[in-house]
C-alpha cells in the first residue's frame, strides 16, 4: 500500500476509530507501532538501560524439539518414531546419548566454542496446544488461564525505556511481546525504507494538523501524534545504522536478512536494547523430516553468520540471543510421518558470557510422560525470562513479570 493512498485515506476518515485504521493499514503496521503522546527523542539515562543487547528469535509453528536435540541412545525414542526417528549416525553427537539434528552443524561450532547453552524440557503449567494461545502465553509471560494485552518486552519498555526505538522488531508488524501498556516498540525490516516512508510529502503534511484542537484519543489524534513521533525515530534509526556496513556473507533468505539488519543495528551502537526476529514454518504435521531439516539449516546458518558479524565488530560480548518456539511436538509420530502439537521443548541461549555451557539439564523422560502422552515440563520459561531480565539486562524482573521466579545460572 503506497504512502499516497494511506495519507489520502486519513483525510477521508478523520472520525474512523484509530484501532480499526491501524489494523487495516499495512503501512501503519510497519511504520507507526509507536506509543501515543511520546517524544521520540526523550532521553533515558544510560544507567537505566545499560549497554547489553538482547536478541529474541522465535521459531513459529512449534519446532519439534525431539528431532532437534535427539536422544539417539534411548530405544523409546525409536519405538515412538519408527520412521521419523533420526538415526544415531545422522546426528551430530554431543555425548554418548544425545546429538544435534544433522542440519545444525553451524550450531555445533558455537557449542564447541562455549557459546551455546541448551535448556531442555521448557514449558509452563497447564499447557495449551493452540498456536495462537500458546504464543500469546510465551509473549506475555502470563499463566495459561490469564490474558494480557501487553508483552513481557513491552512491559520492560514501559518501565525502563522511553523511546520507541529502545526495542525494534525486524518485521512488518509488531508482536504482542513488544507491545507495552504505554510504550510500544518499532517494527521495520529496512531502516532506509522506514526513513523514506517518513519523508513522504503526504506524510509531512501531517505536521500541519498536529495542533488541531479537534484531535483527540477518540479519533485520529492518536495516529497523528504517533506518526510525528515515528518520523524522529525513523531518522535516528536510519542515520545511526547507516554508519556501519558488513562484508559478512549471510544466507540469501528472509531470516538471513533479518539477522543482517539486526547486526547492522547492534554494530552501529544504536540506542536499542532489544531486537526481535522470527523464522516461520515449523508446524510439521506432514513429511516432517525434510521440512524441519531445511528450516533448522536456515536457522543455524543465519545465526552463525550473525555471531561472526558481531564478533568482527566486537559486539558479541555484549549480546545475548534467546531462541524459543511456542511448544514442542508429540512424542509419537503421526500417520503422515509428522508430529502433532505437544508441550515441553528446548530453548537455546547463545552468548559469549555463558556460565553453564552446553547441555544445561537432562532431557525429559520418555518413560514418564504426562496423562496425554506428552513430555513433562521441568523448567518454567518465565524462569529463563526472569534470569535474562535480572542478570543480563539488570532490571527488576518481578516488576515486569508481575511475580517472582527463581533465577537460573546459565549467565
Amino acid at each position: 500500500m503506497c504512502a499516497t493512498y494511506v495519507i489520502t485515506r486519513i483525510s477521508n476518515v478523520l472520525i474512523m476509530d484509530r484501532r480499526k485504521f491501524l489494523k487495516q493499514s499495512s503501512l501503519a503496521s510497519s511504520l507507526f507501532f509507536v506509543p501515543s503522546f511520546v517524544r521520540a527523542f526523550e532521553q533515558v539515562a544510560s544507567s537505566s538501560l545499560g549497554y547489553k543487547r538482547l536478541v529474541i528469535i522465535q521459531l513459529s509453528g512449534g519446532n519439534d524439539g525431539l528431532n532437534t536435540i535427539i536422544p539417539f541412545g534411548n530405544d523409546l525414542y525409536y519405538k515412538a518414531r519408527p520412521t521419523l526417528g533420526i538415526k544415531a549416525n545422522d546426528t551430530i553427537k554431543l555425548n554418548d546419548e544425545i546429538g544435534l539434528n544433522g542440519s545444525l552443524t553451524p550450531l555445533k561450532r558455537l557449542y564447541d566454542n562455549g557459546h551455546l547453552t541448551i535448556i531442555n524440557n521448557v514449558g509452563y503449567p497447564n499447557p495449551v496446544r493452540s498456536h495462537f494461545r500458546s504464543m500469546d502465553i510465551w509473549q506475555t509471560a502470563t499463566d495459561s488461564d490469564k490474558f494480557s494485552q501487553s508483552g513481557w518486552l513491552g512491559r520492560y519498555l514501559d518501565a525502563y525505556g522511553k523511546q520507541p526505538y529502545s526495542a525494534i522488531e525486524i518485521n512488518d508488524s509488531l508482536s504482542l511481546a513488544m507491545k507495552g501498556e504505554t510504550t510500544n516498540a518499532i517494527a521495520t525490516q529496512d531502516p532506509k525504507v522506514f526513513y523514506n516512508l517518513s519523508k513522504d510529502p503526504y506524510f509531512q503534511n501531517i505536521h500541519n494538523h498536529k495542533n488541531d484542537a479537534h484531535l483527540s484519543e477518540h479519533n485520529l489524534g492518536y495516529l497523528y501524534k504517533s506518526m510525528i513521533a515515528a518520523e524522529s525515530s525513523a531518522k535516528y534509526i536510519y542515520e545511526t545504522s547507516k554508519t556501519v556496513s558488513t562484508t559478512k556473507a549471510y544466507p540469501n533468505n528472509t531470516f538471513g536478512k533479518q539477522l543482517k539488519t539486526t547486526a547492522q543495528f547492534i554494530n552501529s551502537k544504536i540506542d536499542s536494547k532489544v531486537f526481535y526476529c522470527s523464522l516461520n514454518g515449523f508446524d510439521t504435521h506432514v513429511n516432517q523430516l525434510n521440512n524441519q531439516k531445511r528450516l533448522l539449516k536456515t536457522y543455524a546458518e543465519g545465526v552463525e553468520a550473525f555471531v561472526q558479524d558481531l564478533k568482527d565488530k566486537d559486539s558479541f560480548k555484549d549480546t545475548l540471543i534467546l531462541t524459543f518456539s511456542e511448544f514442542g511436538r508429540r512424542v509419537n509420530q503421526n500417520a503422515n510421518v509428522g508430529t502433532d502439537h505437544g508441550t515441553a521443548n528446548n530453548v537455546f541461549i547463545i552468548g559469549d558470557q555463558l556460565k553453564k555451557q552446553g547441555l544445561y539439564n537432562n532431557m525429559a523422560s520418555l518413560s514418564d510422560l504426562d496423562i496425554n502422552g506428552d513430555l513433562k515440563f521441568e523448567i518454567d520459561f518465565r524462569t529463563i525470562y526472569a534470569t535474562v531480565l535480572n542478570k543480563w539486562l539488570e532490571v527488576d524482573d518481578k516488576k515486569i513479570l508481575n511475580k517472582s521466579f527463581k533465577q537460573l545460572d546459565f549467565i
Side-chain angles (χ1 to χ4, degrees):
M1 183 182 296
C2 68
T4 300
Y5 176 80
V6 173
I7 304 303
T8 301
R9 189 177 180 186
I10 290 174
S11 66
N12 293 331
V13 292
L14 281 175
I15 61 173
M16 176 185 287
D17 178 82
R18 64 179 177 85
R19 292 181 179 84
K20 183 176 180 182
F21 179 86
L22 287 170
K23 287 180 180 179
Q24 292 180 351
S25 170
S26 62
L27 179 60
S29 69
S30 63
L31 182 59
F32 307 130
F33 270 117
V34 296
S36 60
F37 310 110
V38 66
R39 292 181 297 112
F41 282 101
E42 183 172 355
Q43 296 300 309
V44 180
S46 60
S47 59
S48 297
L49 288 172
Y51 295 97
K52 293 178 179 178
R53 267 71 171 183
L54 173 65
V55 179
I56 305 293
I57 298 176
Q58 170 185 308
L59 304 181
S60 299
N63 178 45
D64 180 20
L66 273 178
N67 272 20
T68 301
I69 308 299
I70 302 161
F72 65 81
N74 191 332
D75 291 340
L76 293 176
Y77 166 72
Y78 294 105
K79 184 177 180 180
R81 299 181 172 203
T83 57
L84 192 61
I86 297 175
K87 296 179 180 178
N89 290 338
D90 293 328
T91 70
I92 305 167
K93 293 180 175 59
L94 301 180
N95 57 37
D96 292 338
E97 298 287 328
I98 299 172
L100 292 173
N101 186 292
S103 296
L104 295 176
T105 297
L107 218 62
K108 178 59 161 57
R109 289 191 281 268
L110 294 176
Y111 181 97
D112 291 340
N113 289 325
H115 296 326
L116 172 64
T117 296
I118 300 168
I119 306 177
N120 295 303
N121 322 323
V122 181
Y124 54 88
N126 304 311
V128 179
R129 291 177 180 80
S130 160
H131 288 294
F132 302 107
R133 181 65 191 129
S134 190
M135 186 60 77
D136 279 357
I137 292 167
W138 275 82
Q139 292 191 354
T140 61
T142 56
D143 294 338
S144 61
D145 61 346
K146 306 292 184 184
F147 292 83
S148 175
Q149 298 302 311
S150 65
W152 71 287
L153 296 171
R155 295 194 297 272
Y156 164 74
L157 290 177
D158 286 340
Y160 297 100
K162 303 301 183 182
Q163 304 145 333
Y165 54 79
S166 292
I168 302 176
E169 181 159 357
I170 318 303
N171 208 331
D172 284 331
S173 59
L174 203 64
S175 298
L176 178 56
M178 301 282 269
K179 298 179 183 179
E181 295 176 2
T182 61
T183 308
N184 292 333
I186 288 288
T188 182
Q189 292 199 72
D190 187 320
K192 185 175 181 179
V193 171
F194 184 36
Y195 176 69
N196 287 340
L197 283 172
S198 75
K199 302 305 291 182
D200 184 279
Y202 289 90
F203 179 64
Q204 291 295 304
N205 287 337
I206 293 297
H207 286 279
N208 297 331
H209 301 278
K210 65 181 179 180
N211 294 317
D212 285 8
H214 71 279
L215 295 178
S216 72
E217 277 284 281
H218 300 293
N219 54 39
L220 288 180
Y222 170 89
L223 182 59
Y224 278 139
K225 292 175 173 63
S226 295
M227 292 169 77
I228 292 165
E231 182 190 20
S232 295
S233 296
K235 181 178 181 181
Y236 170 78
I237 292 170
Y238 173 63
E239 292 187 348
T240 304
S241 63
K242 75 177 182 179
T243 60
V244 299
S245 59
T246 180
T247 58
K248 185 66 184 175
Y250 281 79
N252 186 25
N253 51 52
T254 300
F255 183 66
K257 292 175 182 177
Q258 285 185 48
L259 293 179
K260 183 176 182 179
T261 299
T262 303
Q264 182 181 0
F265 287 149
I266 293 174
N267 289 333
S268 71
K269 311 302 181 187
I270 192 172
D271 190 20
S272 304
K273 308 306 173 186
V274 178
F275 303 89
Y276 204 98
C277 303
S278 60
L279 176 61
N280 302 325
F282 285 92
D283 195 17
T284 51
H285 290 278
V286 179
N287 297 325
Q288 175 179 300
L289 283 174
N290 288 334
N291 289 332
Q292 190 191 29
K293 180 179 179 180
R294 172 182 52 81
L295 288 166
L296 291 180
K297 183 174 185 289
T298 297
Y299 166 75
E301 290 179 347
V303 167
E304 184 179 45
F306 178 60
V307 168
Q308 189 57 57
D309 199 353
L310 296 182
K311 283 185 174 182
D312 290 346
K313 296 294 194 299
D314 197 32
S315 300
F316 183 54
K317 68 181 187 298
D318 296 320
T319 303
L320 190 73
I321 306 164
L322 186 158
T323 300
F324 80 98
S325 197
E326 68 263 36
F327 45 61
R329 316 293 292 190
R330 304 302 298 269
V331 174
N332 292 302
Q333 69 178 62
N334 62 26
N336 297 312
V337 198
T339 50
D340 298 324
H341 302 173
T343 54
N345 209 347
N346 35 59
V347 166
F348 296 154
I349 306 292
I350 298 171
D352 192 40
Q353 301 181 40
L354 302 178
K355 288 185 178 180
K356 191 168 183 179
Q357 304 155 357
L359 293 167
Y360 182 83
N361 57 334
N362 294 327
M363 296 193 69
S365 172
L366 295 182
S367 61
D368 181 22
L369 303 177
D370 70 13
I371 192 172
N372 296 307
D374 284 319
L375 299 175
K376 290 182 177 180
F377 92 95
E378 172 192 356
I379 295 177
D380 192 311
F381 74 91
R382 291 166 294 185
T383 66
I384 299 175
Y385 289 178
T387 303
V388 169
L389 290 166
N390 183 269
K391 295 184 178 181
W392 184 255
L393 294 178
E394 300 178 336
V395 298
D396 183 355
D397 56 286
K398 183 178 179 181
K399 183 175 183 179
I400 295 164
L401 300 177
N402 298 318
K403 64 170 66 175
S404 294
F405 294 92
K406 76 171 188 176
Q407 303 290 303
L408 305 182
D409 59 354
F410 58 85
I411 51 175

